[in-house]
Amino acid sequence: MRSSIYGISFFFLFCIFPLVSGQLASKQSNTMITVSHQLANSSWNVEKEQNPCLWEGVTCNAPHNDSILSLSLSGFGLSNSSFLPLLCQINSLQSLDFSSNLFNSIPVEFFNSCGEIDGLKSLNFSKNMLVGSLPTFQKFVGLESLDLSFNSLNGSIDSQLNGLSALKSLNLSFNHLTGSVPSRLGKSRVLEQFELSLNRFTGEIASEIGEHGNLIKIDLSGNHLNGIIPESFVNLTKLETLILSSNQLHGAIPAGLLGITTLQRFSANHNNFVDLPSTNPSMSLKILDLSYNKITGRILPQLLLGSNLQTVDLSYNMLTGPIPVTISSSLVRLRLGSNYLSGPIPSTSFVSLPSLTYLELDNNSFTGTIPPQIGSNRKLALLNLAQNKLNGTLPDELLNLIQLEVLKLQLNKLSGEIPNQIGRLNMLSVLNISWNSLNGIIPPSISNCGKLISLNLQNNGLTGLIPDAIGNLKFLLELQLGENKLHGRIPDMPQKLQISLNLSFNNFDGPIPKTLSGLNDLEVLDLSNNRFSGTVPDFLVRLSSLSQLVLSNNQLFGDLPQFKPHVSVDINGNPQLHRPKDSPPVLSKKRKPVGVTIVIAFAAAVLAVEVVAIVFLLISRRLSKVNEEQLQSLEVLSPPRVIQANMLTANGGP
């Protein structure tokens, strides 16, 4: 028993104890204490903890703990950088992290002193408020990683980085740097990470960058670069990530670029490229994004065949022809929208793609029916086939997509009924099958789609009643049912409706129902082109968020209640409905002083009271008539309100 106790004591004495109580070199300890007094930071408090190796963000060499290897003051909320040169007295430092603070400058003494630390490998000043030009890094012979991203540095890059011969990672993203992209970077030939995104660099990409054969990642996105991709990039045999998005690059993509065997991501969206790469992509390729270019021609079959391919985005180009018949089974996201693709959607292309989550084929010219095989892709969360020329009925197999969150089928030629079991898609947040030729009723099971935020069924031929259970859609913000043949009682509506409730161009009649009285968040209510009768109820005035009320072309009568000035109310086509007499049109108020001036001038000229009275009467009537005509004209010519790029009413297309 005693031997066990002695053994445990020996273990703690010689193994554990040194880890927590090693003696930090006195010079380093004094430096840390001096800095802590300047910081006045509770995390660095010598009164609470005398050993700096135990302070937050401090790493010492274990097990001796006699020197400091790295310091991280990330997120300390520091703004005064005057203490930084003191830390350079710690000559054992390998890493310094000052990210996520409020520094707007770095003392010159810091670069002079810390440049002498041969073992310093990593320096991070990202996410501060640094301004001015890029500092000059002299010496720093061992620095491998430099991160100055997310600041406000400006000016060009000339020779400031020439001394960094060991540099492997450079991140200057999210600044205001200008001029040409640096190409030689002094003596460095070991560069692996080269990130200059979201600056203001101009000119062409220098071919010399292709001479840095160790490059793994290049990110030049979000600049103003023009010209072509250098052919020398094909020689970067270790390249894994190439991001050139949001520039003004043009021409052809180098033939062998996608064939680099290590390449995993190539993003060059938002440029002016005109051709797809002609060579087979590497089997390592996972992400290909060439959206928002000017690419023409057909989609080559090999482009979608990579065994590791996860994302392909070719949307917003000018591609023509059909979709390739065979698609990689590893695809997660396929975006081909807004092209000129045509023909039927190949049924064999979308059979049991086990990882497919996003499929967007919208705004093309696809014909034929929706392939039932799409329903076999059980992980689909977004399906967008809108704005094509698809016909036929909605396949029941779509109801197998129980993880579907967004379903967009609008602006096609679909017919038949909405499946009765649409409620099985209970994860839906957006359902849009507007502007088709659907008929039948709105299935009551739609109330099972309890996560719906937007429901758009307008411009079909739907008949029958609005299901009573529609009110159970407690998250619904927008309901578009215009241009159908709905009739009967309007049930209680979801209380959180906010964007719009559109019941226009249907067959509703009778008084405007009180079931609408609780929609206090609603901004737009369109009841136009029905057969509503009676007076306009006062509860509409009390809808506190209402900004637009469309009551035109009904059978309403009486006086319109007094709405708040910011509420636009359209009552055209209700000849027996009148605006309040005590609220004259705004235009008449503007005209009145003009009329008075004319009368006074005329009276002064002729000096005849009787003539003045007659003329005044004639002018007043004329002005009143003109103002009423102008007001009606303005109401007729006012453009319909557009919400989320959709027409508010059914008077126009979405």
Side-chain angles (χ1 to χ4, degrees):
M1 181 68 178
R2 287 186 178 181
S3 61
S4 299
I5 294 174
Y6 289 145
I8 294 173
S9 301
F10 181 89
F11 178 80
F12 274 93
L13 181 62
F14 292 98
C15 297
I16 302 299
F17 188 74
L19 292 177
V20 296
S21 61
Q23 185 65 42
L24 186 64
S26 59
K27 184 178 180 180
Q28 294 192 10
S29 180
N30 292 336
T31 298
M32 292 293 289
I33 291 171
T34 302
V35 171
S36 71
H37 290 155
Q38 292 196 25
L39 295 183
N41 188 291
S42 59
S43 299
W44 285 19
N45 191 328
V46 70
E47 295 180 0
K48 293 182 179 180
E49 174 54 62
Q50 295 183 355
N51 185 359
C53 288
L54 298 179
W55 293 354
E56 180 182 349
V58 179
T59 302
C60 295
N61 62 326
H64 304 294
N65 286 341
D66 56 0
S67 60
I68 298 174
L69 300 182
S70 71
L71 295 175
S72 175
L73 286 79
S74 178
F76 275 31
L78 305 173
S79 57
N80 187 345
S81 60
S82 61
F83 72 93
L84 292 177
L86 289 173
L87 296 176
C88 300
Q89 297 176 15
I90 305 174
N91 58 10
S92 58
L93 281 172
Q94 297 178 9
S95 173
L96 284 171
D97 184 356
F98 304 111
S99 62
S100 301
N101 282 291
L102 304 171
F103 298 135
N104 57 26
S105 64
I106 305 171
V108 175
E109 295 84 357
F110 173 83
F111 296 102
N112 293 335
S113 300
C114 278
E116 301 285 350
I117 304 175
D118 293 344
L120 187 61
K121 296 181 179 179
S122 176
L123 183 59
N124 187 350
F125 277 98
S126 66
K127 299 178 183 176
N128 276 278
M129 303 172 67
L130 299 175
V131 296
S133 58
L134 182 69
T136 298
F137 291 82
Q138 295 178 345
K139 301 180 181 178
F140 287 95
V141 295
L143 195 65
E144 297 179 358
S145 175
L146 175 62
D147 191 345
L148 295 171
S149 61
F150 292 91
N151 282 286
S152 298
L153 298 171
N154 54 41
S156 60
I157 301 176
D158 187 13
S159 59
Q160 298 98 316
L161 305 175
N162 281 3
L164 302 178
S165 58
L167 195 64
K168 293 183 179 180
S169 176
L170 175 65
N171 191 346
L172 301 178
S173 300
F174 284 87
N175 280 285
H176 307 306
L177 298 168
T178 56
S180 301
V181 172
S183 57
R184 295 191 180 276
L185 295 175
K187 302 175 183 178
S188 176
R189 280 293 179 267
V190 293
L191 194 65
E192 297 175 357
Q193 310 273 344
F194 189 46
E195 302 180 59
L196 303 180
S197 64
L198 290 160
N199 279 283
R200 299 172 184 174
F201 291 113
T202 55
E204 298 185 357
I205 302 173
S207 60
E208 288 85 353
I209 293 176
E211 297 174 5
H212 293 269
N214 288 310
L215 276 170
I216 295 173
K217 179 179 182 180
I218 300 175
D219 186 355
L220 304 178
S221 61
N223 284 286
H224 306 291
L225 302 173
N226 54 40
I228 62 173
I229 301 175
E231 288 286 343
S232 61
F233 277 24
V234 176
N235 300 324
L236 298 174
T237 57
K238 297 180 181 180
L239 193 63
E240 296 178 1
T241 300
L242 177 58
I243 307 176
L244 304 174
S245 311
S246 299
N247 281 288
Q248 298 159 20
L249 302 170
H250 60 81
I253 296 169
L257 190 63
L258 293 187
I260 297 175
T261 57
T262 54
L263 190 65
Q264 297 181 21
R265 177 182 178 185
F266 177 46
S267 296
N269 49 297
H270 290 88
N271 279 288
N272 297 311
F273 294 114
V274 295
D275 292 314
L276 288 172
S278 57
T279 54
N280 294 342
S282 161
M283 290 295 104
S284 300
L285 191 65
K286 294 180 179 179
I287 298 174
L288 175 63
D289 188 352
L290 294 173
S291 60
Y292 293 93
N293 278 283
K294 299 176 181 178
I295 299 172
T296 60
R298 297 187 168 219
I299 301 174
L300 301 177
Q302 62 266 29
L303 203 61
L304 303 181
L305 285 179
S307 57
N308 290 298
L309 207 56
Q310 296 177 2
T311 295
V312 174
D313 191 346
L314 302 177
S315 58
Y316 292 92
N317 279 288
M318 294 182 282
L319 295 166
T320 56
I323 299 176
V325 174
T326 306
I327 293 177
S328 172
S329 61
S330 61
L331 265 178
V332 175
R333 181 191 295 265
L334 178 60
R335 302 188 71 230
L336 302 177
S338 297
N339 280 285
Y340 301 115
L341 300 172
S342 58
I345 299 174
S347 57
T348 55
S349 298
F350 300 101
V351 177
S352 298
L353 301 178
S355 301
L356 190 64
T357 306
Y358 307 95
L359 177 58
E360 300 173 62
L361 306 179
D362 55 299
N363 195 19
N364 280 286
S365 297
F366 292 119
T367 55
T369 60
I370 299 175
Q373 289 81 357
I374 288 180
S376 65
N377 302 296
R378 301 301 181 90
K379 285 192 176 181
L380 266 180
L382 185 150
L383 176 59
N384 189 352
L385 305 179
Q387 207 164 343
N388 281 287
K389 300 176 182 178
L390 300 172
N391 55 40
T393 60
L394 298 177
D396 289 337
E397 287 80 0
L398 293 183
L399 302 180
N400 296 327
L401 303 175
I402 57 175
Q403 297 189 42
L404 203 61
E405 297 178 21
V406 176
L407 177 58
K408 293 186 175 183
L409 303 174
Q410 70 269 22
L411 285 160
N412 279 289
K413 300 177 180 179
L414 301 172
S415 57
E417 300 183 355
I418 300 174
N420 286 329
Q421 299 302 314
I422 189 72
R424 289 174 55 185
L425 304 180
N426 56 16
M427 299 294 289
L428 278 178
S429 61
V430 175
L431 175 59
N432 191 340
I433 44 180
S434 61
W435 299 89
N436 280 286
S437 300
L438 300 174
N439 53 47
I441 65 170
I442 301 174
S445 72
I446 204 165
S447 63
N448 295 333
C449 302
K451 296 185 178 181
L452 272 174
I453 295 173
S454 176
L455 175 58
N456 193 339
L457 306 178
Q458 70 173 325
N459 204 284
N460 280 287
L462 301 175
T463 57
L465 309 176
I466 300 175
D468 285 340
I470 199 84
N472 296 336
L473 299 176
K474 59 183 179 179
F475 297 112
L476 197 66
L477 301 179
E478 179 181 21
L479 180 58
Q480 300 280 354
L481 300 178
E483 283 212 51
N484 281 289
K485 301 175 184 178
L486 302 171
H487 66 272
R489 175 179 174 274
I490 296 176
D492 289 325
M493 288 291 164
Q495 295 298 294
K496 288 193 176 182
L497 275 177
Q498 178 181 348
I499 298 173
S500 176
L501 172 59
N502 180 5
L503 302 178
S504 65
F505 286 89
N506 279 288
N507 297 321
F508 296 113
D509 55 15
I512 295 175
K514 197 171 183 179
T515 51
L516 305 178
S517 63
L519 304 179
N520 291 318
D521 295 332
L522 189 65
E523 298 176 2
V524 179
L525 176 60
D526 191 348
L527 303 177
S528 64
N529 294 280
N530 282 283
R531 296 196 297 273
F532 288 112
S533 58
T535 60
V536 177
D538 289 336
F539 68 74
L540 292 179
V541 178
R542 295 191 292 273
L543 299 183
S544 56
S545 299
L546 197 66
S547 62
Q548 188 165 4
L549 175 62
V550 188
L551 301 174
S552 55
N553 299 316
N554 279 287
Q555 300 170 13
L556 300 167
F557 57 81
D559 289 334
L560 184 71
Q562 184 69 54
F563 286 84
K564 294 178 181 178
H566 71 274
V567 182
S568 171
V569 184
D570 185 350
I571 62 171
N572 286 323
N574 293 277
Q576 299 183 55
L577 181 60
H578 309 287
R579 297 184 183 275
K581 296 180 181 179
D582 59 347
S583 179
V586 175
L587 288 175
S588 66
K589 290 183 179 179
K590 292 182 179 179
R591 289 279 187 171
K592 185 175 181 180
V594 177
V596 172
T597 303
I598 294 173
V599 170
I600 293 174
F602 186 80
V606 299
L607 300 176
V609 176
E610 294 85 3
V611 175
V612 170
I614 294 171
V615 172
F616 179 79
L617 180 62
L618 291 173
I619 291 176
S620 294
R621 289 178 177 177
R622 179 171 179 80
L623 286 173
S624 177
K625 182 177 180 181
V626 168
N627 285 330
E628 289 177 1
E629 290 175 351
Q630 289 183 349
L631 182 62
Q632 292 177 0
S633 176
L634 285 174
E635 291 174 343
V636 171
L637 295 176
S638 296
R641 180 170 177 176
V642 176
I643 298 175
Q644 293 183 345
N646 293 324
M647 299 291 290
L648 164 66
T649 66
N651 296 326

